[in-house]
Amino acid sequence: GADAAFFRKHAGSPVAQVVKLLTDLKTKVTDEGAAEQKAYDKYALWCEETLTRKANDISEAKDEIDTLQDNIIKLGGEIASHGAEIEQLKKDIKANVDSQRQAEGVREKEGAAYEAEKIESEQCLGALEAAVKVLEGSGSKKSAA
């Protein structure tokens, strides 16, 4: 409209050239501002999304930290409990080994006593068998006489 008529009328004048430069500059600044606003909006959206995601990640990490700390405490208690159980089992094993040694000693003595009694019993049986043979032999001689 009015700008076009002005430019046609004063096309070569320095004022027209300045007005044209200012109009071109205004258009350029407006276009650059729109592009900058678009880039800013895109960046702001990315920031919001990233902030939300990071806040969720932080919240989840804090929950996981709490869970892991509870597990550390629980497992620490179990370690202490198992340590006491291990010590008791070591004592039980030592007592069992000592008991086995005592039992082996008793069994060895009983085995030796049995062997001695067996040998004595076998000798007694041998002597009895010999005595029976002698007695049987002496009884048959009497009946023959």
Side-chain angles (χ1 to χ4, degrees):
D3 287 338
F6 177 81
F7 284 128
R8 276 190 301 259
K9 186 176 180 185
H10 302 294
S13 76
V15 172
Q17 289 175 351
V18 169
V19 169
K20 181 173 183 340
L21 284 174
L22 289 175
T23 304
D24 291 346
L25 182 61
K26 176 184 172 188
T27 303
K28 182 180 175 184
V29 168
T30 303
D31 291 346
E32 286 178 358
E36 288 293 323
Q37 184 65 45
K38 185 177 177 182
Y40 173 80
D41 290 345
K42 183 179 176 182
Y43 178 71
L45 178 63
W46 177 84
C47 287
E48 286 178 28
E49 290 172 349
T50 302
L51 180 64
T52 301
R53 189 175 65 246
K54 294 300 179 186
N56 288 336
D57 291 347
I58 289 170
S59 177
E60 289 173 7
K62 284 181 179 180
D63 291 344
E64 188 173 352
I65 287 170
D66 291 342
T67 301
L68 292 173
Q69 285 177 335
D70 291 344
N71 281 343
I72 288 170
I73 291 169
K74 175 185 165 196
L75 294 174
E78 287 181 14
I79 287 172
S81 173
H82 291 314
E85 287 176 25
I86 288 170
E87 291 304 315
Q88 183 59 47
L89 290 172
K90 284 180 181 178
K91 289 177 185 175
D92 292 348
I93 289 170
K94 184 181 180 315
N96 190 318
V97 168
D98 290 345
S99 176
Q100 285 178 1
R101 285 189 186 130
Q102 285 179 340
E104 284 175 2
V106 169
R107 298 304 176 269
E108 286 175 9
K109 288 178 186 175
E110 288 176 349
Y114 169 78
E115 283 298 317
E117 191 175 316
K118 177 182 163 192
I119 291 170
E120 185 181 334
S121 295
E122 287 173 351
Q123 289 174 348
C124 288
L125 282 175
L128 285 174
E129 287 174 0
V132 167
K133 286 183 185 179
V134 169
L135 289 175
E136 285 177 348
S138 68
S140 5
K141 290 183 186 175
K142 277 188 177 181
S143 54

